Amino acid sequence: MPLLICLAGPTASGKSASSMALARRWPIEIIVMDSATIYRGMDIGTAKPSAAEQAQVPHHLLDIRDPAQSYSAAEFARDAAGLAQDIRQRGRIPILCGGTMLYYKALREGLNELPSADPAIRQALDHEARERGWPALHAELARVDPVTAARLAPNDSQRLQRALEIWRGSGRAMSDWLAQPPQPVLPGWEFLTISLEPSDRAVLHARIAQRYRTMIEAGLLDEVRTLHARADLHPGLPSIRCVGYRQLWDHLDGRISLDQAIEQAIAATRQLAKRQITWLRSLPQRHAVDCLSGDATAKVTDLCARHLDR
């Protein structure tokens, strides 16, 4: 049975260090499972692998979208499945590494068949949202697809847009499409899921704060300033909503001070880590490793060796 190793964990848990340790022992290629590192020009705030790391081991699904574009979990699942099969056919070992758990769910559990994106409908919805506001569009969705509307917040622009796009394009509610059984994208594959989790959240929180301040020192504000100067980018886009970016965007818009933006970004990153940990702990058959222990990398390597060296 073909094997896909998944190295998952919250932000700042040391996933990259563990993946590079695996690369020193086996001929691996890394499929990056991250909804932020897909964007070109967003390097510092996403902790994108360095040029040296990318030279040491192939990394896939980095820099595949412009910040003005979107990328869905369904697109990730199809892309990652194709990459995993291709890597294995070349006699190498695919490693899934990242913390976007919705991507993991789509890849492992399969996909519901949904209509393709329609740029014209999306553009129309964006225009209506600017004129009427997303809560008004949420009310419209409640009339045509109450099941989906009930699980979405009135200002959840990305998901509201997708649900209304599906309704307007197909004439069927998103909830109807999702009622069909998901189709597997990697049938017959075995998943080995290694979850890097902190034994002490306070220590992880300190890591998060230090890492973000280091990003600021490395020029993150200038990175966001370059994005902010583009007329085609705005806070409604998934790229600009990324944690650590949207807070600095608010600062550049004059809404908050730089110190406030930094503190809000750190708090938002902590909340992201909390959601990631909650999701990880619900996964079946995960192998948990304390990311704060001194031998975390060795434990990850040992778990992989049980499967790769047999």
Side-chain angles (χ1 to χ4, degrees):
M1 184 179 295
L3 174 70
L4 181 60
I5 296 172
C6 177
L7 187 58
T11 184
S13 60
K15 298 182 293 294
S16 294
S18 291
S19 66
M20 298 309 292
L22 299 182
R24 289 190 288 271
R25 179 161 174 177
W26 293 286
I28 73 166
E29 296 189 23
I30 297 171
I31 302 170
V32 181
M33 186 176 67
D34 190 295
S35 61
T37 56
I38 61 171
Y39 294 113
R40 295 185 287 272
M42 295 175 59
D43 303 328
I44 299 172
T46 63
K48 195 171 290 180
S50 67
E53 289 172 328
Q54 294 186 51
Q56 182 178 342
V57 58
H59 286 70
H60 300 278
L61 301 184
L62 294 177
D63 299 323
I64 60 171
R65 289 291 187 275
D66 181 85
Q69 298 174 311
S70 61
Y71 188 64
S72 68
E75 289 174 299
F76 169 82
R78 295 188 182 100
D79 289 346
L83 284 164
Q85 291 164 339
D86 180 61
I87 292 167
R88 185 169 182 269
Q89 287 171 0
R90 290 188 278 105
R92 298 176 66 83
I93 301 166
I95 303 287
L96 198 65
C97 182
T100 301
M101 302 314 299
L102 182 60
Y103 283 7
Y104 176 87
K105 177 182 174 67
L107 181 62
R108 178 160 185 161
E109 297 182 7
L111 297 170
N112 293 95
E113 191 64 36
L114 293 174
S116 300
D118 188 317
I121 295 177
R122 289 191 174 190
Q123 187 175 13
L125 287 166
D126 281 336
H127 177 75
E128 290 179 40
R130 288 192 293 270
E131 294 291 323
R132 302 164 53 200
W134 285 109
L137 291 176
H138 183 271
E140 177 184 327
L141 181 65
R143 291 192 294 272
V144 299
D145 186 359
V147 174
T148 301
R151 62 181 178 81
L152 299 182
N155 285 306
D156 191 344
S157 57
Q158 185 177 5
R159 293 178 176 84
L160 285 171
Q161 182 187 58
R162 180 61 174 145
L164 283 167
E165 174 192 31
I166 289 172
W167 164 255
R168 293 186 182 184
S170 70
R172 287 178 58 194
M174 186 179 193
S175 55
D176 289 342
W177 287 94
L178 294 178
Q180 304 301 314
Q183 299 300 311
V185 292
L186 277 176
W189 279 61
E190 176 186 1
F191 282 74
L192 170 64
T193 303
I194 302 172
S195 177
L196 290 165
E197 302 171 15
S199 54
D200 186 339
R201 296 243 185 136
V203 176
L204 181 67
H205 290 174
R207 275 192 187 182
I208 288 170
Q210 180 57 51
R211 188 170 80 155
Y212 193 74
R213 294 184 188 281
T214 299
M215 290 174 175
I216 294 292
E217 294 171 2
L220 177 57
L221 182 58
D222 287 337
E223 185 172 271
V224 179
R225 187 176 282 117
T226 299
L227 299 170
H228 192 264
R230 287 180 48 173
D232 60 336
L233 300 183
H234 55 82
L237 291 168
S239 58
I240 307 306
R241 289 202 299 267
C242 286
V243 169
Y245 283 83
R246 66 174 179 262
Q247 293 80 14
L248 292 179
W249 192 282
D250 286 345
H251 164 64
L252 294 174
D253 276 346
R255 295 191 181 96
I256 55 177
S257 70
L258 179 58
D259 285 343
Q260 287 175 316
I262 291 171
E263 291 306 317
Q264 288 181 17
I266 291 171
T269 308
R270 289 172 176 169
Q271 287 299 312
L272 170 62
K274 180 180 179 180
R275 293 193 298 272
Q276 290 170 316
I277 292 168
T278 299
W279 198 319
L280 286 163
R281 289 180 174 170
S282 70
L283 293 178
Q285 300 175 331
R286 88 189 193 285
H287 298 267
V289 172
D290 180 9
C291 66
L292 304 179
S293 66
D295 61 348
T297 298
K299 288 180 177 177
V300 169
T301 303
D302 181 61
L303 282 167
C304 293
R306 297 177 196 174
H307 291 73
L308 298 178
D309 293 343
R310 64 189 180 189

